[in-house]
Coordinates of all heavy atoms in Angstrom, one line a residue:
I289 N 3.4 6.9 7.4 CA 4.7 7.3 6.8 C 4.6 8.1 5.5 O 5.6 8.4 4.8 CB 5.6 6.1 6.6 CG1 5.1 5.1 5.6 CG2 5.8 5.4 7.9 CD1 6.0 4.0 5.2
G290 N 3.4 8.3 5.0 CA 3.3 9.1 3.8 C 1.9 8.9 3.1 O 1.0 8.2 3.6
T291 N 1.7 9.5 2.0 CA 0.4 9.6 1.3 C 0.5 9.1 -0.1 O 1.4 9.6 -0.9 CB -0.1 11.0 1.3 OG1 -0.2 11.4 2.7 CG2 -1.5 11.0 0.7
L292 N -0.3 8.2 -0.5 CA -0.4 7.7 -1.9 C -1.5 8.6 -2.6 O -2.6 8.7 -2.0 CB -0.8 6.2 -1.9 CG -1.2 5.7 -3.3 CD1 0.0 5.5 -4.2 CD2 -1.9 4.3 -3.1
T293 N -1.2 9.1 -3.7 CA -2.2 9.9 -4.5 C -2.3 9.2 -5.9 O -1.4 9.0 -6.6 CB -1.7 11.3 -4.7 OG1 -1.5 11.9 -3.4 CG2 -2.7 12.1 -5.5
I294 N -3.6 9.0 -6.2 CA -3.9 8.4 -7.5 C -4.7 9.4 -8.3 O -5.8 9.9 -7.8 CB -4.8 7.1 -7.4 CG1 -4.1 6.0 -6.6 CG2 -5.3 6.6 -8.7 CD1 -2.8 5.5 -7.3
N295 N -4.2 9.8 -9.4 CA -4.8 10.9 -10.2 C -5.1 10.6 -11.7 O -5.6 11.4 -12.4 CB -3.9 12.2 -10.2 CG -2.6 12.0 -11.0 OD1 -2.1 10.9 -11.1 ND2 -2.2 13.1 -11.6
D296 N -4.8 9.3 -12.1 CA -5.0 9.0 -13.5 C -5.5 7.5 -13.5 O -5.1 6.7 -12.7 CB -3.8 9.1 -14.3 CG -4.1 9.1 -15.8 OD1 -5.2 9.5 -16.2 OD2 -3.2 8.6 -16.5
V297 N -6.4 7.2 -14.5 CA -6.9 5.9 -14.6 C -6.9 5.5 -16.1 O -7.3 6.4 -16.9 CB -8.4 5.8 -14.0 CG1 -9.3 6.8 -14.6 CG2 -8.9 4.4 -14.1
E298 N -6.6 4.3 -16.4 CA -6.5 3.8 -17.8 C -7.0 2.4 -17.8 O -6.9 1.6 -16.8 CB -5.1 3.8 -18.3 CG -4.5 5.2 -18.5 CD -3.1 5.1 -19.1 OE1 -2.3 4.2 -18.7 OE2 -2.8 6.0 -19.9
S299 N -7.5 2.0 -19.0 CA -7.9 0.6 -19.1 C -6.6 -0.3 -19.3 O -5.5 0.2 -19.6 CB -8.7 0.4 -20.4 OG -8.0 0.5 -21.6
E300 N -6.8 -1.6 -19.1 CA -5.7 -2.5 -19.2 C -5.2 -2.5 -20.7 O -4.1 -3.0 -20.9 CB -6.1 -3.9 -18.7 CG -6.3 -3.9 -17.3 CD -6.4 -5.3 -16.7 OE1 -7.4 -6.0 -17.1 OE2 -5.5 -5.8 -16.0
E301 N -6.1 -2.2 -21.6 CA -5.7 -2.2 -23.0 C -4.6 -1.3 -23.4 O -3.8 -1.6 -24.3 CB -6.9 -1.9 -23.9 CG -8.1 -2.9 -23.7 CD -9.4 -2.4 -24.2 OE1 -9.4 -1.4 -24.9 OE2 -10.4 -3.1 -24.0
I302 N -4.4 -0.2 -22.6 CA -3.3 0.7 -23.0 C -2.3 1.0 -21.9 O -1.3 1.7 -22.1 CB -4.0 2.1 -23.4 CG1 -4.8 2.7 -22.3 CG2 -4.8 1.9 -24.7 CD1 -5.3 4.1 -22.6
S303 N -2.6 0.5 -20.7 CA -1.7 0.8 -19.6 C -0.6 -0.3 -19.4 O -0.9 -1.5 -19.6 CB -2.5 0.8 -18.2 OG -1.6 0.9 -17.1
P304 N 0.6 0.1 -19.1 CA 1.7 -0.8 -18.8 C 1.5 -1.6 -17.6 O 2.1 -2.7 -17.4 CB 2.9 0.1 -18.7 CG 2.4 1.4 -18.4 CD 1.1 1.5 -19.0
A305 N 0.5 -1.2 -16.7 CA 0.3 -2.0 -15.5 C -0.3 -3.3 -15.8 O -0.2 -4.2 -15.0 CB -0.7 -1.2 -14.6
R306 N -0.9 -3.5 -17.0 CA -1.5 -4.8 -17.3 C -0.4 -5.9 -17.3 O -0.7 -7.0 -16.9 CB -2.1 -4.7 -18.7 CG -2.8 -6.0 -19.2 CD -3.0 -6.1 -20.7 NE -1.8 -6.0 -21.5 CZ -1.7 -6.0 -22.8 NH1 -2.9 -6.0 -23.5 NH2 -0.6 -6.0 -23.4
D307 N 0.8 -5.5 -17.7 CA 1.9 -6.5 -17.8 C 2.8 -6.5 -16.6 O 3.9 -7.0 -16.7 CB 2.6 -6.3 -19.1 CG 1.8 -6.4 -20.3 OD1 0.9 -7.3 -20.3 OD2 1.9 -5.6 -21.3
I308 N 2.4 -5.9 -15.5 CA 3.2 -5.9 -14.3 C 2.8 -7.0 -13.4 O 1.6 -7.3 -13.2 CB 3.0 -4.5 -13.5 CG1 3.7 -3.4 -14.3 CG2 3.7 -4.7 -12.1 CD1 3.5 -2.0 -13.6
N309 N 3.8 -7.8 -13.0 CA 3.6 -8.9 -12.0 C 3.8 -8.3 -10.6 O 4.9 -7.9 -10.2 CB 4.5 -10.0 -12.3 CG 4.4 -11.1 -11.2 OD1 3.4 -11.2 -10.5 ND2 5.5 -11.9 -11.1
F310 N 2.7 -8.1 -9.8 CA 2.8 -7.5 -8.5 C 3.3 -8.5 -7.5 O 2.6 -8.9 -6.5 CB 1.5 -6.8 -8.1 CG 1.1 -5.6 -8.9 CD1 0.2 -5.7 -10.0 CD2 1.7 -4.4 -8.7 CE1 -0.1 -4.6 -10.7 CE2 1.4 -3.3 -9.5 CZ 0.5 -3.4 -10.5
D311 N 4.5 -9.0 -7.7 CA 5.1 -10.0 -6.9 C 5.4 -9.4 -5.5 O 6.2 -8.5 -5.4 CB 6.4 -10.5 -7.6 CG 7.1 -11.6 -6.9 OD1 6.9 -11.8 -5.7 OD2 7.8 -12.4 -7.6
P312 N 4.9 -10.0 -4.5 CA 5.2 -9.4 -3.1 C 6.6 -9.6 -2.6 O 7.0 -9.0 -1.6 CB 4.2 -10.2 -2.2 CG 4.1 -11.5 -2.9 CD 4.1 -11.2 -4.4
L313 N 7.4 -10.3 -3.4 CA 8.8 -10.5 -3.0 C 9.8 -9.6 -3.8 O 11.0 -9.7 -3.7 CB 9.3 -11.9 -3.1 CG 8.6 -12.9 -2.1 CD1 9.2 -14.3 -2.2 CD2 8.7 -12.4 -0.6
V314 N 9.2 -8.6 -4.5 CA 10.1 -7.6 -5.2 C 10.1 -6.4 -4.3 O 9.1 -5.6 -4.2 CB 9.5 -7.3 -6.6 CG1 10.3 -6.1 -7.2 CG2 9.6 -8.5 -7.5
F315 N 11.2 -6.1 -3.6 CA 11.3 -5.0 -2.7 C 12.7 -4.4 -2.7 O 13.7 -5.1 -3.1 CB 10.8 -5.3 -1.3 CG 11.1 -6.7 -0.8 CD1 12.3 -7.2 -0.7 CD2 10.0 -7.5 -0.5 CE1 12.5 -8.5 -0.2 CE2 10.2 -8.8 0.0 CZ 11.5 -9.3 0.1
P316 N 12.9 -3.2 -2.3 CA 14.2 -2.5 -2.3 C 15.0 -2.9 -1.1 O 14.5 -3.6 -0.2 CB 13.8 -1.0 -2.3 CG 12.6 -1.0 -1.5 CD 11.8 -2.3 -1.8
N317 N 16.3 -2.5 -1.1 CA 17.1 -2.6 0.0 C 16.5 -1.9 1.2 O 16.1 -0.8 1.1 CB 18.5 -2.0 -0.3 CG 19.5 -2.2 0.8 OD1 19.4 -3.2 1.5 ND2 20.4 -1.3 1.0
G318 N 16.4 -2.7 2.3 CA 15.7 -2.1 3.5 C 14.4 -2.8 3.8 O 13.8 -2.5 4.9
I319 N 14.0 -3.7 3.0 CA 12.8 -4.5 3.2 C 13.1 -6.0 3.0 O 13.8 -6.3 2.0 CB 11.6 -4.1 2.3 CG1 11.2 -2.6 2.5 CG2 10.3 -5.0 2.6 CD1 10.1 -2.1 1.6
I320 N 12.7 -6.9 3.8 CA 13.0 -8.3 3.7 C 11.7 -9.1 3.9 O 10.7 -8.6 4.5 CB 14.1 -8.8 4.6 CG1 13.6 -8.6 6.1 CG2 15.4 -8.1 4.3 CD1 14.6 -9.2 7.1
A321 N 11.7 -10.4 3.4 CA 10.5 -11.2 3.7 C 10.5 -11.8 5.1 O 11.6 -11.9 5.7 CB 10.6 -12.4 2.7
S322 N 9.4 -12.1 5.6 CA 9.2 -12.8 6.9 C 9.3 -14.3 6.6 O 9.5 -14.8 5.5 CB 7.9 -12.4 7.5 OG 6.8 -12.9 6.8
D323 N 9.0 -15.0 7.7 CA 8.9 -16.5 7.6 C 7.6 -17.0 7.2 O 7.3 -18.2 7.4 CB 9.4 -17.1 9.0 CG 8.6 -16.5 10.2 OD1 7.8 -15.6 10.0 OD2 8.8 -17.0 11.3
D324 N 6.7 -16.1 6.8 CA 5.3 -16.6 6.3 C 5.5 -17.4 5.1 O 5.9 -17.0 4.0 CB 4.5 -15.3 6.0 CG 3.0 -15.7 5.8 OD1 2.7 -16.8 5.4 OD2 2.2 -14.8 6.1
P325 N 5.0 -18.7 5.1 CA 5.1 -19.6 4.0 C 4.3 -19.2 2.8 O 4.5 -19.6 1.7 CB 4.6 -20.9 4.5 CG 3.7 -20.6 5.7 CD 4.3 -19.4 6.3
L326 N 3.3 -18.3 3.0 CA 2.5 -17.8 1.9 C 3.3 -17.0 0.9 O 2.9 -16.9 -0.3 CB 1.3 -17.1 2.4 CG 0.2 -17.9 3.1 CD1 -0.9 -17.0 3.6 CD2 -0.4 -18.9 2.1
L327 N 4.3 -16.3 1.4 CA 5.0 -15.3 0.5 C 5.7 -16.0 -0.6 O 5.5 -15.5 -1.8 CB 6.0 -14.5 1.4 CG 5.4 -13.4 2.3 CD1 6.5 -12.8 3.2 CD2 4.8 -12.3 1.4
S328 N 6.4 -17.0 -0.4 CA 7.1 -17.7 -1.5 C 6.1 -18.4 -2.5 O 6.3 -18.4 -3.7 CB 8.1 -18.7 -1.0 OG 7.5 -19.7 -0.2
A329 N 5.0 -18.9 -1.9 CA 4.0 -19.5 -2.7 C 3.3 -18.4 -3.6 O 3.0 -18.6 -4.7 CB 2.9 -20.2 -1.8
R330 N 2.9 -17.3 -3.0 CA 2.3 -16.2 -3.7 C 3.2 -15.8 -4.9 O 2.8 -15.6 -6.0 CB 2.0 -15.0 -2.9 CG 0.9 -15.1 -1.9 CD 0.7 -13.9 -1.1 NE 0.4 -12.7 -1.9 CZ 0.3 -11.5 -1.4 NH1 0.7 -11.3 -0.1 NH2 0.0 -10.5 -2.2

Side-chain angles (χ1 to χ4, degrees):
I289 67 169
T291 304
L292 172 71
T293 300
I294 298 298
N295 71 329
D296 193 32
V297 58
E298 292 181 322
S299 75
E300 293 191 295
E301 297 164 9
I302 61 174
S303 173
R306 182 194 65 182
D307 298 321
I308 291 175
N309 175 18
F310 292 101
D311 185 335
L313 293 185
V314 175
F315 31 63
N317 185 30
I319 302 178
I320 62 174
S322 69
D323 52 353
D324 190 331
L326 288 175
L327 284 173
S328 57
R330 285 179 64 190

